[in-house]
Every structure is written in structure tokens, then in C-alpha cells.
Amino acid sequence: MGSGGGITDRPARDRVWSAPAQLFLGLSAAGLATVTALFLAAVFLHVAPANALSRQYQEQVDGLVYPEFEQNWRLFAPNPLQQNITVDARVRTAEEGGGTRLHDWIGLTARDLAAIRGNPAPSHVDQNLLRRAWDFYEGTHDAKDETATVARGRLAEQYLKRIALQRIGREVDGERVLEIEFRMTATTLAPPPWSGEAAPPAPKVRELPWWAVADEDYRGLG
């Protein structure tokens, strides 16, 4: 009941949206449905056996699926991974006088593990984003000289770099980030004592070359 004149407010369920509002909602719903359908179609073409349609639009499909939505069968691998992979990064920043400063290694994997431990519902980002980015890079580059072996190698570099910069930021200690370098350490898990297997080899360390950092590397990061 309204005050003063006894005017009754119209129940919310009886209110009618204005024509512009209905048009906007209709177009938004149609646009969302279209985008969803196109995305599902692209994923279907990606996982389906090769056919005329998937071959014709392979470049567009790969551009949408890789690297965030890649599909694979690793869950069913008969020989699970037996190594712990850690990824670290360090940066070089611009000093006020015109020089540069080299900073210590930052444990990117260690940060993710710290966010996972004790969390009953850990984030998918903390569990898989960095790990999958490294898998993507490793599968597209030659470990001997770090050159790309496939056309998607450049995309893998950009993806790994952007993930690290998202965690590090544009500045370190108030100085602008100029370059970034990655280090991967692979530690083979020790076999159980009763297995009789030999002790695992020493950890394998792999350092990537320095990559320049540009404004476009922060695209979408604010």
C-alpha cells in the first residue's frame, strides 16, 4: 500500500518491460545463444575425427580452442607422470638512472601450491593454469635450443609469459619490468623402498632465454 493516497504499487510479476528493454534483452539472449553454439561447434570439430569441415576451418578452430580449452586424454594415460615440475621466473627492471636491475627468482609453482594446500575446493587456475601452460610450451619447442618446432610455438611463449606477468605485475619494487626469464625444474619422484628400483637422477633444470616485455603482454590484465 502506498502512503497518503492509498495507491497500491503494481506487483512485480505484473510489471511489463518497456519495448526498448525487451529488445535489448532479446538481442542479448540471441547473441549469447549464438556465441555458445559457435563455441560448442568449434570444440566438437576439434575433438571429432578429421572431416572436410574441420579441415577447412582448422585455423579458426585452433585459434579458439588453444591454449585455454585444449582437449586431451592424459587422464587415461597408462603411465602417469612421475615427476614434479616447478616453474620459476625472474625479471629485469628499469632503474631510475637508466640502468637495469636483475631480481631474484620468483616461485610461480610454489605460489600455486601454497594456495592449494589446506583448501578443500582449490581453484582450477591454481591447479592447472601454469602447469598446462608449461606443457603447451614444452610440446612446441626444442629443449636443446628453445626454438619453436610448430606454428603454435609463438602462441605458447605468449601464453606462458602473460600468465607469469599476471602474477608479477607491471612493476617490481616500483620499477618497470623490461624482460622476463623462466626456469623449469623437473624432479623425479623417488620409488618406494620395497620396489628395488634405482634412486632417481638429480633434478633437471631448464632455463629459457630472456623475453622482452611489452604493453601488449598485459592485455586484459588491467
Side-chain angles (χ1 to χ4, degrees):
M1 296 292 293
S3 60
I7 301 176
T8 303
D9 290 336
R10 197 174 191 182
R13 65 175 179 273
D14 295 334
R15 293 176 183 168
V16 179
W17 293 95
S18 64
Q22 294 183 42
L23 178 61
F24 175 78
L25 291 175
L27 291 176
S28 299
L32 181 60
T34 300
V35 171
T36 302
L38 290 175
F39 175 75
L40 293 177
V43 174
F44 173 79
L45 289 176
H46 176 70
V47 300
N51 55 73
L53 194 60
S54 64
R55 285 191 290 266
Q56 180 179 356
Y57 295 102
Q58 181 177 359
E59 183 177 351
Q60 290 84 350
V61 170
D62 287 349
L64 176 63
V65 172
Y66 291 111
E68 289 89 349
F69 305 106
E70 180 184 2
Q71 309 293 311
N72 59 65
W73 294 93
R74 292 193 178 187
L75 176 64
F76 307 101
N79 186 22
L81 295 175
Q82 298 179 341
Q83 290 182 324
N84 282 330
I85 305 295
T86 60
V87 179
D88 307 317
R90 63 179 177 178
V91 297
R92 184 175 284 118
T93 59
E95 293 183 308
E96 186 175 349
T100 61
R101 184 197 308 271
L102 178 63
H103 293 261
D104 293 333
W105 290 102
I106 300 170
L108 301 179
T109 300
R111 288 185 177 183
D112 287 348
L113 292 177
I116 293 172
R117 289 193 179 97
N119 189 341
S123 167
H124 176 75
V125 171
D126 294 332
Q127 296 180 83
N128 297 314
L129 186 63
L130 181 61
R131 178 182 62 83
R132 292 296 298 119
W134 174 257
D135 288 345
F136 184 26
Y137 175 88
E138 188 175 37
T140 57
H141 287 75
D142 188 335
K144 295 180 180 179
D145 56 9
E146 302 301 342
T147 57
T149 56
V150 296
R152 293 185 292 115
R154 176 58 178 164
L155 176 62
E157 295 175 8
Q158 294 173 338
Y159 187 47
L160 182 61
K161 181 164 59 169
R162 291 191 67 201
I163 289 174
L165 293 176
Q166 188 176 37
R167 289 157 165 74
I168 296 172
R170 293 177 179 269
E171 297 182 349
V172 175
D173 296 336
E175 298 175 351
R176 181 170 58 90
V177 175
L178 298 176
E179 294 179 306
I180 187 169
E181 183 187 23
F182 291 90
R183 178 181 67 187
M184 182 279 299
T185 305
T187 305
T188 302
L189 301 179
W194 47 261
S195 68
E197 299 181 20
K204 177 183 176 182
V205 179
R206 177 176 172 182
E207 291 189 8
L208 307 190
W210 284 95
W211 293 337
V213 175
D215 287 340
E216 63 179 13
D217 295 321
Y218 294 96
R219 185 177 51 192
L221 304 184

